[in-house]
């Protein structure tokens, strides 16, 4: 959450006097705990939405915390910690079938800020969009696990649950993870500014989630009396939580960017540095006259700073809101479920393994379900016996792994098509040393084929006035602004097992306005976030120089290869990269 306070003209109109004054006490069983896992089950009338497993949300938080630890202790928008956070969320969403876009913030953001991440579930009426968002960046003081890993991880797990259940959609659902919120709501502001008026009109409501697991928190809803807030309030009302208006957060998070363009907004929050009143402590539990989050914008905002009960109630309320607004109220007359057991398997190249695909009739009459699989790498095939079943029946899926398939972990999607389509995920691990065929692991290393599969500051890839390519016409130009900035491009590659060597080669040109041998501006090659090579303005030279790095220690592993250029506050240094290869043999 951004620090600044902005007047918004919100009021507590419509909140009952008893709730506003904290005179209505919750039963002891409803008082929130600061730790542990609680299943917040809604009454039957609100049970259509699935339960979100809070332990899975917490697993995402653990990964975000680890990313911060590997990157200097934070995930600030201009750092590799932020870019690694984007890569983590993006990978999960792509595997689940989302249409995922990295949107570079080309105006209004802090120099060097990473991209917004936008994911859309490609089903439902595209003229009616419900959007759910949270900021993915932290402040520089700490890893930002409550602020705002909590909102980001919640939305990620809700998005994955939507893909897993794959219900019939009445409207389109879009998720946004925003950059540079902590520096002024910049990423979300850029996103909304970039939309046409028609695209803005298509967004029927935007829901924001910022700090939804504060340890001494309360239960707050943005614009609690608005139509957009109705399902959010209904869910928390069903738990007798007596939520209040989020006055502390008004104008301080990314919903404000959407409000400025007239888009209806709401969202959950559990509080930041403001202090809990005695009345709030009486109905919600916790400590009166203490901050909702004592680790707000501090180094102690880690996974230890999470209220699991509040996180669980928030996640389930998000799912309920999404299902209420966007999932079709009409249940198919005939419907079924699909699952795979086991959901994981491990085998060596040149062998096969199997899993049982089970179906069940969940509504109406049994129907024919046709089975298929997607996401298998080259050399892996999936066959079904039988290829179609009557719902209630099962099939054996045989996964055959060719002898040349590189060891690694692959995510496969098993689909069943009937009156609608349902999916189940299967994780295949290919083991063994495998054979080594000399190969080149980096894709689009000359940057001639657009930006994919590079991620990060992909706006630095292209053909620009002022620099030239080593070969072809395109390259990656990192830094070169003459002010404090960081540019990063990354690619995830697999180095096959069975090889004896893996060598990274790339051509690097450095020109600078600096003088002398002091390293003011730096270029680094990182593997999985760890710097392996560093050059600086002191290495500037005319033309390109070929650089080599031995990566043989990573044979048999999937790695994230990163090039980063960073500048201080004055005098430009440009780091220009071209013709990247990673050869194995």
């Amino acid at each position: 959450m951004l620090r600044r306070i902005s007047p918004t003209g919100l009021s507590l109109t419509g909140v009952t006097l008893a709730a506003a004054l904290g005179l209505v006490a919750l039963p002891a069983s409803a008082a929130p705990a600061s730790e542990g896992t609680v299943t917040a089950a809604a009454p039957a009338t609100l049970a259509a939405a699935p339960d979100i497993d809070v332990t899975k949300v917490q697993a995402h938080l653990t990964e975000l915390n680890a990313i911060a630890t590997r990157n200097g202790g934070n995930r600030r928008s201009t750092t590799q910690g932020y870019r690694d956070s984007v890569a983590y969320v993006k990978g999960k969403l792509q595997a689940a079938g989302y249409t995922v876009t990295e949107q570079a913030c080309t105006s209004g953001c802090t120099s060097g800020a990473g991209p917004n991440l936008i994911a859309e579930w490609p089903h439902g009426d595209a003229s009616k969009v419900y959007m759910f968002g949270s900021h993915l960046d932290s402040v520089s003081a700490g890893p930002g696990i409550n602020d705002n890993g909590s909102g980001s991880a919640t939305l990620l797990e809700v998005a994955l649950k939507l893909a897993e259940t794959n219900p019939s959609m009445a409207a389109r659902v879009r998720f946004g993870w925003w950059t540079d919120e902590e520096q002024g709501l910049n990423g979300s502001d850029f996103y909304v500014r970039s939309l046409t008026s028609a695209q803005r009109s298509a967004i029927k409501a935007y829901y924001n989630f910022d700090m939804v697991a504060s340890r001494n928190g309360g239960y707050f809803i943005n614009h609690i009396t608005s139509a957009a807030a109705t399902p959010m309030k209904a869910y928390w009302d069903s738990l007798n939580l007596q939520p209040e208006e989020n006055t502390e957060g008004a104008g301080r998070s990314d919903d404000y960017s959407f409000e400025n363009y007239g888009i209806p907004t709401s969202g959950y929050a559990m509080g930041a540095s403001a202090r809990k009143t005695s009345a709030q402590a009486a109905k919600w539990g916790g400590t009166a006259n203490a901050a909702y989050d004592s680790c707000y914008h501090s180094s102690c905002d880690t996974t230890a700073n999470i209220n699991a009960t509040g996180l669980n109630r928030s996640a389930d309320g998000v799912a309920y809101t999404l299902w209420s607004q966007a999932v079709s109220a009409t249940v198919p007359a005939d419907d079924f479920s699909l699952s795979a057991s086991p959901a994981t398997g491990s085998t060596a190249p040149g062998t096969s393994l199997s899993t049982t695909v089970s179906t069940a009739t969940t509504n109406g009459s049994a129907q024919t379900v046709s089975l298929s699989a997607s996401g298998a790498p080259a050399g892996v095939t999936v066959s079904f016996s039988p290829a179609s079943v009557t719902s209630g029946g099962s099939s054996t899926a045989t996964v055959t792994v060719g002898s040349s398939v590189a060891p690694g972990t692959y995510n496969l999607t098993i689909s069943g098509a009937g009156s609608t389509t349902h999916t189940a995920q299967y994780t295949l691990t290919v083991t063994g040393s495998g054979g080594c065929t000399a190969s080149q692991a980096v894709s689009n290393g000359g940057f001639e084929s657009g930006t994919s599969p590079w991620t990060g500051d992909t706006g630095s890839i292209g053909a620009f006035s002022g620099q030239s390519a080593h070969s072809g016409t395109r390259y990656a130009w990192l830094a070169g602004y003459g002010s404090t900035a960081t540019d990063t491009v990354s690619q995830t590659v697999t180095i096959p097992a069975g090889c004896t060597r893996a060598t990274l080669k790339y051509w690097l040109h450095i020109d600078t306005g600096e003088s002398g041998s002091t390293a003011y501006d730096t270029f680094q090659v990182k593997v999985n976030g760890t710097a392996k090579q560093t050059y600086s303005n002191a290495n500037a030279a005319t033309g390109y120089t070929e650089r080599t790095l031995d990566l043989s220690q990573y044979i048999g592993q999937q790695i994230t290869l990163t090039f980063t250029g960073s500048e201080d506050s004055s005098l430009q240094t440009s780091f220009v990269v071209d013709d990247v290869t990673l050869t194995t043999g």
Side-chain angles (χ1 to χ4, degrees), residues 140-228:
S140 58
I145 299 306
N146 185 37
D147 185 15
N148 183 40
S150 62
S152 295
T154 292
L155 291 193
L156 175 57
E157 190 54 35
V158 170
L160 296 178
K161 193 67 174 181
L162 176 63
E164 176 189 334
T165 55
N166 193 21
S168 299
M169 303 299 294
R172 192 64 61 97
V173 173
R174 186 180 303 154
F175 295 90
W177 285 267
W178 309 120
T179 188
D180 220 33
E181 187 269 359
E182 296 289 6
Q183 311 306 313
L185 318 181
N186 298 326
S188 57
D189 176 72
F190 176 78
Y191 173 80
V192 185
R193 281 191 288 113
S194 300
L195 300 176
T196 66
S197 58
Q199 289 169 331
R200 293 187 198 116
S201 295
I203 301 175
K204 303 309 176 186
Y206 169 79
Y207 294 95
N208 195 68
F209 304 94
D210 193 349
M211 304 182 68
V212 294
S214 305
R215 284 180 63 83
N216 191 42
Y219 293 90
F220 302 106
I221 298 178
N222 305 341
H223 302 306
I224 194 170
T225 61
S226 67

Side-chain angles (χ1 to χ4, degrees), residues 481-485 514 520-521 566-572:
Y481 303 99
S483 58
T484 303
E514 304 280 6
Y520 298 106
D521 309 317
S566 298
E567 287 182 288
D568 66 4
S569 60
S570 64
L571 298 178
Q572 76 85 26

Side-chain angles (χ1 to χ4, degrees), residues 76-163:
R76 193 177 188 272
S77 63
T78 55
T79 68
Q80 186 60 35
Y82 176 79
R83 293 174 179 82
D84 286 355
S85 300
V86 170
Y88 173 75
V89 175
K90 180 180 180 180
K92 294 285 187 183
L93 295 166
Q94 286 182 318
Y98 278 83
T99 302
V100 186
T101 304
E102 289 187 27
Q103 182 196 40
C105 183
T106 57
S107 68
C109 284
T110 305
S111 178
N116 290 322
L117 186 68
I118 310 299
E120 186 155 318
W121 186 236
H123 305 286
D125 184 355
S127 68
K128 186 166 63 174
V129 177
Y130 289 92
M131 192 161 187
F132 296 76
S134 64
H135 72 88
L136 188 54
D137 64 321
S138 76
V139 293
S140 58
I145 299 306
N146 185 37
D147 185 15
N148 183 40
S150 62
S152 295
T154 292
L155 291 193
L156 175 57
E157 190 54 35
V158 170
L160 296 178
K161 193 67 174 181
L162 176 63

Side-chain angles (χ1 to χ4, degrees), residues 38-53 209 219 221 224 228-243 268 309-324:
V38 175
T39 300
T45 54
L46 299 180
D51 176 70
I52 302 300
D53 186 347
F209 304 94
Y219 293 90
I221 298 178
I224 194 170
T230 297
M232 309 209 78
K233 185 174 184 297
Y235 188 81
W236 275 0
D237 281 348
S238 77
L239 303 180
N240 197 26
L241 294 177
Q242 304 169 61
Y268 285 148
T309 302
L311 182 67
N312 191 47
R313 289 166 169 170
S314 297
D316 287 339
V318 174
Y320 176 72
T321 299
L322 188 156
W323 256 252
S324 298

Side-chain angles (χ1 to χ4, degrees), residues 256-295:
Y256 192 59
S257 298
F258 289 78
E259 288 178 33
N260 285 335
Y261 284 88
I263 296 171
T265 67
S266 188
Y268 285 148
M270 291 192 70
S273 58
R275 295 181 179 273
K276 178 174 282 187
T277 67
S278 297
Q280 290 170 339
K283 69 173 179 174
W284 291 330
T287 305
N289 201 36
Y292 299 121
D293 181 359
S294 61
C295 288

